[in-house]
Amino acid sequence: MDNWIYSLSFYGIALCALAGACGVLFLRNLFHAGLSLILTLFSVAGLFVLLGAEFLAGVQVLIYVGAIAILILFAVMLTQRLTAKRVRVFNRAFLPALAAAGLFAAAGIWLLFRGEPRPWERAVGGGDAIPLLADALLSKHILPFEVVSLLLLGALIGAIVVARKEETK
Amino acid sequence: MNAFVVGPDHFLVAALALFALGLLVTVTRRNAIGVLMGIELMLNGVNVALVTLDRSLAAPALEGQVFALFVITVAAAEAVVGLALILAVYRSRVSIAVDELNELSG
């Protein structure tokens, strides 16, 4: 019974994620596409919960939904005068790009199911990993951890410099 | 064990579909912010794959989750700088359609 509920919630959440991604692809209004992106990001957080990675789910909601998606929506509102006019949404490469993405997906499916022995046969799941994650992050991966904080500082300063209005002297 | 019972393969297929859709969005959208959304979709697909493999490997390892954390952090930095660039381009050119920004192509 438990397994049944798990499967059903996986299919529901995955369907939401893919529907949101299709919305990002096909919605003409970029603001609506951004809202659709938020649906996908929430669904990915749900997938993380199903995978037993609760900390990552929280991080996903905080950073992706709370920061990146809101930033994208702000940028859409700051740049869009296009809602009234009919502008082309796609460039001329739609069909070749569709073929390329389809080929990519087919190659991935083939790699997954060609019957080679795989190291991940165990069922998904596991115990509480948050203390282990904290240990790993602050001992084994301490150098990338610090480098990433420098990167964030650089991105902060860089974004301010790039987006600032030019001073007229 | 029928195909309906969810295992790692199901998550990996969902991740693959997310990545493929993100690729399509990135390559075909004309608006630069749409391109950025496609990149976020691709990064999310990769994160799902990383966490799936992390949680289903025979020998438990946390590298997948640590990598996913770093991917999320770098994605935040990338989105911030990308949107700042887009706003700067918009201020000087009024258009942010990526196929009209072709000064460098001869």
Side-chain angles (χ1 to χ4, degrees):
Chain A
M1 266 312 107
D2 213 22
N3 215 340
W4 186 76
I5 296 173
Y6 186 87
S7 295
L8 209 62
S9 43
F10 168 79
Y11 285 113
I13 292 175
L15 209 65
C16 279
L18 294 185
C22 286
V24 175
L25 179 57
F26 287 118
L27 284 178
R28 296 191 57 89
N29 189 329
L30 203 61
F31 193 80
H32 295 164
L35 295 180
S36 183
L37 179 71
I38 290 182
L39 173 68
T40 299
L41 298 177
F42 260 122
S43 308
V44 169
L47 288 183
F48 286 162
V49 171
L50 287 183
L51 285 166
E54 289 87 3
F55 179 67
L56 267 178
V59 167
Q60 169 90 7
V61 171
L62 273 180
I63 295 184
Y64 262 115
V65 183
I68 296 182
I70 300 303
L71 203 63
I72 285 178
L73 288 186
F74 266 121
V76 171
M77 286 189 276
L78 283 174
T79 55
Q80 206 173 35
R81 309 159 298 110
L82 316 165
T83 42
K85 280 187 299 182
R86 301 285 288 178
V87 291
R88 279 191 305 126
V89 178
F90 300 118
N91 58 18
R92 274 159 298 185
F94 187 77
L95 284 181
L98 189 65
L103 208 63
F104 176 81
I109 295 284
W110 178 73
L111 280 176
L112 262 180
F113 295 110
R114 63 183 165 158
E116 295 279 308
R118 295 174 297 180
W120 66 84
E121 287 296 348
R122 207 187 71 180
V124 168
D128 182 18
I130 296 177
L132 297 175
L133 194 60
D135 276 347
L137 211 54
L138 288 178
S139 59
K140 193 174 171 189
H141 302 284
I142 184 72
L143 183 64
F145 187 75
E146 297 295 337
V147 170
V148 141
S149 66
L150 273 182
L151 172 78
L152 283 178
L153 181 66
L156 182 73
I157 299 173
I160 292 173
V161 170
V162 170
R164 186 186 52 158
K165 276 206 171 63
E166 292 292 326
E167 300 282 334
T168 48
K169 287 173 187 153
Chain B
M1 272 311 213
N2 57 23
F4 183 75
V5 176
V6 170
D9 289 343
H10 293 72
F11 285 96
L12 288 177
V13 169
L16 183 65
L18 267 184
F19 191 96
L21 280 171
L23 180 68
L24 202 51
V25 173
T26 305
V27 178
T28 57
R29 274 264 178 191
R30 281 182 76 234
N31 193 307
I33 299 176
V35 173
L36 210 62
M37 288 185 196
I39 293 174
E40 303 300 340
L41 277 183
M42 287 200 282
L43 289 171
N44 269 283
V46 170
N47 276 346
V48 171
L50 279 175
V51 178
T52 305
L53 295 178
D54 176 275
R55 299 304 278 173
S56 59
L57 278 181
L62 282 167
E63 266 67 25
Q65 286 195 56
V66 173
F67 275 28
L69 268 180
F70 284 131
V71 168
I72 290 177
T73 318
V74 176
E78 166 253 325
V80 166
V81 176
L83 288 173
L85 284 174
I86 290 172
L87 285 185
V89 168
Y90 178 77
R91 203 175 291 131
S92 67
R93 309 253 333 215
V94 186
S95 160
I96 52 170
V98 284
D99 50 0
E100 289 168 11
L101 301 175
N102 52 6
E103 274 89 353
L104 283 180
S105 71

